Amino acid sequence: MSILDRFSLRNQTALVTGGGRGIGAALAQALAEAGADVASADLDLAAAEARAQELTTFGVRTLAIRVDVVRAEQVQQMVEQVFKAWGRLDVAINSAGVAKISPAEELTEAEWDAIVGVDLKGIYLCTRAEGAVMLAQGSGSIINIASMSGQIVNRPQLHSHYNAAKAGVIQYSRSCAAEWANRGVRVNTLSPGHTRTPMTAAAEPTMGSTWISNTPMRRLGTPEDLQGATLFLASAASAYVTGHDLVIDGGYTLW
């Protein structure tokens, strides 16, 4: 098999949570361009449906699914829907996430639960359900979207709950990778730096200049900057890679 063939996802199926917009939408497109059938799952069904329709232009099968990733029964139904439609699940990208700024001394229990619920519990619920299918079939690749904030205390935004959740995503994924490594299922994390998305747009006018000045490449990332690394981790090109956190931050964590 040639090296380019090893990056192909033809005849494979994929599921992307948070797939309706932002990073998730861009990663869903990368998988479709590589030949995978793609299920776009999102809390916003209309956004998932729009993305699924757009992906059909790449000649692949698509699904749109509404899911709240903090609801275990909905996550299970999502995975079952993909399996029922296509008979297998080869790639899963768990991208659904939220962020909110709050000083640590003012952080309420409700704010903690909301962020950690989506950003960490959601990853756990999805990985558990996806992993069960992949373990049964003896193969699969799971990519959990973490953040460089899982390794550093980012600035100037104050979001200790977000940092803690993303650090948890990295370590939880490493734990699953170790447990499943000899059973055919790989688990890795992708940790973006400051990336221009609908979620970051509100903070960019006040914080964007600080983000850029702290980034050696002197620009914010785009969702498309994450596509190549995602395809690598999803495909046979990374067949010997598991438990790895791939940071894509324009050099931010170098300083």
Side-chain angles (χ1 to χ4, degrees):
M1 181 184 296
S2 73
I3 184 60
L4 293 182
D5 287 338
R6 292 173 67 190
F7 279 94
S8 174
L9 296 178
R10 294 195 183 282
N11 301 316
Q12 296 192 38
T13 68
L15 167 64
V16 182
T17 69
R21 57 173 55 87
I23 288 174
L27 303 189
Q29 179 176 328
L31 301 181
E33 287 194 55
D37 298 323
V38 179
S40 297
D42 203 287
L43 186 61
D44 183 344
L45 180 58
E49 289 174 334
R51 171 54 27 170
Q53 182 59 40
E54 291 168 353
L55 296 182
T56 61
T57 61
F58 298 106
V60 300
R61 298 176 295 177
T62 66
L63 289 173
I65 303 171
R66 184 190 183 280
V67 65
D68 183 345
V69 297
V70 303
R71 301 287 298 275
E73 69 279 8
Q74 291 189 25
V75 169
Q76 187 62 38
Q77 290 167 3
M78 170 187 69
V79 174
E80 289 176 356
Q81 186 173 341
V82 174
F83 187 80
K84 181 178 180 180
W86 296 332
R88 61 184 298 108
L89 177 60
D90 299 295
V91 178
I93 299 178
N94 297 313
S95 180
V98 292
K100 185 177 180 356
I101 294 172
S102 182
E105 72 276 13
E106 299 174 8
L107 180 63
T108 68
E109 185 176 355
E111 289 173 325
W112 173 274
D113 288 344
I115 298 300
V116 175
V118 175
D119 291 350
L120 182 54
K121 181 182 178 181
I123 292 286
Y124 146 68
L125 290 175
C126 291
T127 300
R128 182 182 66 172
E130 296 152 357
V133 172
M134 293 178 178
L135 288 167
Q137 68 193 19
S139 64
S141 174
I142 297 174
I143 304 168
N144 289 326
I145 305 303
S147 170
M148 67 177 182
S149 295
Q151 298 190 16
I152 63 170
V153 178
N154 212 334
R155 61 179 181 172
Q157 62 271 40
L158 305 175
H159 50 22
S160 57
H161 46 350
Y162 179 84
N163 295 347
K166 292 302 186 178
V169 169
I170 294 170
Q171 190 66 353
Y172 170 70
S173 300
R174 283 166 51 86
S175 299
C176 291
E179 291 188 29
W180 299 344
N182 65 349
R183 300 167 68 187
V185 179
R186 298 185 296 111
V187 186
N188 293 286
T189 52
L190 195 64
S191 285
H194 290 298
T195 304
R196 185 172 280 124
T197 69
M199 190 171 74
T200 62
E204 188 176 339
T206 57
M207 300 184 183
S209 61
T210 300
W211 296 343
I212 292 171
S213 67
N214 289 332
T215 303
M217 285 190 175
R218 299 299 187 192
R219 70 172 178 87
L220 300 183
T222 68
E224 289 72 25
D225 286 323
L226 309 175
Q227 289 177 321
T230 297
L231 184 55
F232 168 68
L233 292 176
S235 69
S238 62
Y240 201 52
V241 179
T242 196
H244 180 63
D245 180 42
L246 181 48
V247 179
I248 304 177
D249 65 354
Y252 192 101
T253 53
L254 294 174
W255 290 348

